Amino acid sequence: MGEAQPVANEELEKLKLEIKKLKRELKHKSKDNEILRMANEQAVHAQEFIQRENARQVFYTRQLLKTSPYLLILTDEKLFTVMTSDIYYQFGSCNRARIQAGVHLKEALDGIFPDEELEDFLEKCEKTLAGEFIESYLIQGDFFGQRQDLQVNVKSMKQDGVVIGLNIMFVDMTQVVDAKERAEAADIAKGNFLANMSHEIRTPMNAISGMAEFILRDSDDEAAKRHAAMIKSASRTLISIINDILDFSRIESGKMEIVEDDYKLSSLINDVAAMTRIRLQETQTELVLDIAPSLPENLTGDEVRVKQVLINILGNAVKFTKEGSITLRLRQEKLDEEHCRLIFSVKDTGIGIREEDQAKLFSSFSQVDTRRNRAIEGSGLGLAISRSLVEMMGGKIRVFSVYGEGTKFTFDIISRVKNWEGIGEIRKKAAPGAVKAFQASFRAPEAGILVVDDNEMNLDVAAGLLHPYSDNVTCVMSGAEAMVCFAGHDYDVIFIDHMMPVMDGVETMEKLRKMPGGKETVMIALTANALNGAKAEYTAAGFDDFLAKPVSPRILEEMLRKYLPSGKIIENGKENGEASKDAAGEKSAAGGVSGKQSEKEQETEGENEAVLSALRNIPELNVEKGLSYCLNDSAFYISTISKFVKRAKDHILDDQLKEEDWDNYLVTVHAVKGNLLTIGAEEVSREARELEFALREEKKDYVSEHHETFIKRYRALLKACRAALQP
Ligand code: ADP
């Protein structure tokens, strides 16, 4: 027994240890249990959170679909619907259950979408599924029972890079499109209004300035004359502002065109320089020309618009420079065999422009530094117009200025070059009035030239212009006479006036063309209404070319050189003194004033000078301009003026108005307009032009109303010319 006792104890100890171990394990287990329980709890919380979040997302998505004003459609990759915005159910043919179960787009959209658009739309959907990007686009039609402009957006939905369906949205743009159309219509109306108003204002303004001129000339009252001078200057400013507004509205409405034609660079520079010098008279500022002699002389481009930009910039320089100088610099950069970039710069020593103002300069209607420049007129449109014109001609305009020191404007344009003959040395400082007589560069004594014009004065001028070239010039006054002449003679060139009574220029040309030799003879239209695209119009009608009236001697010479047979041309040789003298002598004869002996010649010259200076005192007459149409030959010009006086048409116009003979009134006033322009009476001519154009538009009331004003001006001019011609 004594042995059994230790064994039992040992067992007991073992068991105790076992129990302890079990207890420890139990403790561990219950700890793990706790962790598990807690983890479980967390999982439950997380799940509840996710469910709540999901429910929230579903709720918001539902809200989005329920309240969206747009029709949204989600489809699967086979174009079967997945869901749509609720707006669908107001107009669509399928109910919610069907849409959610999936119907093909074609069926889902039945009745909502116009049939003619549906095919194209489904095609775009297929393309989008295939991975193509389709831009949103606008369609028009009766959607949802009313006329709408709808923007269609089709985008693909991707999951893990794979296209799983489409997201389609239709947005109602009706109001936006409406607003845009209204704004565009308003813009056009504004442009038309500006153009019409400008035109309407210009007519009475011309009358105001004309009347002021009468006072200036006829009145002995010094105060009245001073006031009239102010009226004239103010109305001139107003007219130039109106012209700016007209140009600006043309640019805004996209109607401004760049019209290309051949021109001489030297004549452009001389013109703007002469104008600037006139404006600089009686100031302390001088004009300096820095023109590279290698610049190409013969260019093709829009001379009028280049001049407009230059005149505006030079005009500003004159306005804002009290003393010092204005430098016009011109350089070129050859671009290729046919093009160059002309780089102009105008630098002045004037008041300068503040840096913060420089950016505003080129925007419309803005004049800068208005406090200081209050007294200086302008519309603030000049530079905005210049910028547009320069950009239309492929260049840029820039300004560099130091306030208080001066300003430099530069601009460049791309120009076509006819040939690379250089411009040569441009006179740096031309004395006003020292314009040299035009010298014909060749003669063609054998060339047969026929001129057809119903207006005697025009015929005289044409004969005078052609005389230095040919001894064989015939002038006739109607299409019928032209046909008689043509039947008996060969002519190399026939110039035909467009607007003639009975048989007009086009009809005359057509008849002549049908006669033997008619097809081969060069026929050139003469027109006083040369508008944009005139050349194309006349060549389409069957003429070889056209010549604008008043005829520029330079252009006439170019045309003769181009169209006369080269075998008949004999060069005068510019450096040959004899030939030049001959040519000048011819021109004197052309003017009808003979000058054989030198004493007699001197006497005549003295008389001519006296007449010219009397003519220069007539404010309506731009003598230099008139001279330029008469080869800068004073005798020729004076003889033209005397023909203008002798062939006055004031009484004829009066009679035609009285008898309401509108057709003939139109022909007469058109001719008078041309004659006035030829002698340099530009403003009076413009008034005749207003009458002519009013009549063309059947505005007879306008003619009745304005006839008297015009006739008064015309008669006053005739009277002044008559007086100037008296020895
Ligand atoms: P405006 O037809 O009124 O002259 P512009 O657009 O041609 O209008 O010019 C706008 C303004 O730019 C001018 O009113 C003047 O304040 C400023 N400006 C233009 N050229 C010069 C210059 N050479 N010197 C100083 N200021 C100038």
Side-chain angles (χ1 to χ4, degrees), residues 400-446:
F400 308 89
S401 185
V402 179
Y403 194 56
E405 285 183 22
T407 306
K408 182 166 101 172
F409 280 94
T410 67
F411 70 92
D412 61 299
I413 56 165
I414 295 176
S415 176
R416 195 184 289 278
V417 180
K418 264 190 92 185
N419 60 54
W420 293 91
E421 180 199 332
I423 190 172
E425 209 46 62
I426 290 259
R427 276 167 300 155
K428 297 244 168 356
K429 282 174 198 166
V435 192
K436 274 206 268 169
F438 180 87
Q439 312 239 314
S441 69
F442 65 89
R443 277 184 52 70
E446 303 294 313

Side-chain angles (χ1 to χ4, degrees), residues 312 316 319-320 348 353 361 367-368 373 378-380 382-383 409:
N312 176 47
N316 280 342
K319 277 197 272 185
F320 297 105
D348 65 51
I353 305 165
L361 278 183
Q367 282 185 311
V368 298
N373 298 337
S379 58
L383 287 173
F409 280 94

Side-chain angles (χ1 to χ4, degrees), residues 124 127-136 154-156:
K124 286 193 161 82
K127 282 183 180 164
T128 311
L129 283 174
E132 210 174 295
F133 174 79
I134 302 286
E135 290 267 11
S136 5
V154 183
K155 301 281 170 282
S156 62

Side-chain angles (χ1 to χ4, degrees), residues 32-44:
D32 283 350
N33 238 358
E34 183 60 11
I35 289 169
L36 266 177
R37 192 189 57 76
M38 276 165 62
N40 197 27
E41 221 168 61
Q42 285 302 326
V44 171

Side-chain angles (χ1 to χ4, degrees), residues 241 244 312-321 346 348 350-353 357 360-363 365-370 372-373 376-386 399 401 406-409:
I241 293 175
D244 273 0
N312 176 47
I313 295 178
L314 282 165
N316 280 342
V318 173
K319 277 197 272 185
F320 297 105
T321 308
V346 174
D348 65 51
I351 62 171
I353 305 165
D357 287 335
K360 287 189 271 176
L361 278 183
F362 300 104
S363 42
F365 301 107
S366 80
Q367 282 185 311
V368 298
D369 210 357
T370 36
R372 200 161 58 139
N373 298 337
I376 296 176
E377 292 144 342
S379 58
L381 281 177
L383 287 173
I385 294 170
S386 298
V399 62
S401 185
T407 306
K408 182 166 101 172
F409 280 94

Side-chain angles (χ1 to χ4, degrees), residues 604-656:
T604 317
E605 233 169 61
E607 273 170 22
N608 285 350
E609 268 319 302
V611 176
L612 266 194
S613 84
L615 288 170
R616 282 202 176 93
N617 282 334
I618 303 176
E620 306 259 26
L621 214 52
N622 181 345
V623 172
E624 310 319 316
K625 193 94 205 188
L627 266 168
S628 78
Y629 295 129
C630 296
L631 305 165
N632 285 321
D633 178 328
S634 30
F636 182 8
Y637 179 59
I638 291 167
S639 106
T640 304
I641 292 271
S642 85
K643 275 158 200 161
F644 166 74
V645 171
K646 266 191 220 137
R647 284 155 197 165
K649 294 195 163 45
D650 49 337
H651 295 293
I652 301 178
L653 280 172
D654 273 345
D655 291 346
Q656 285 167 345

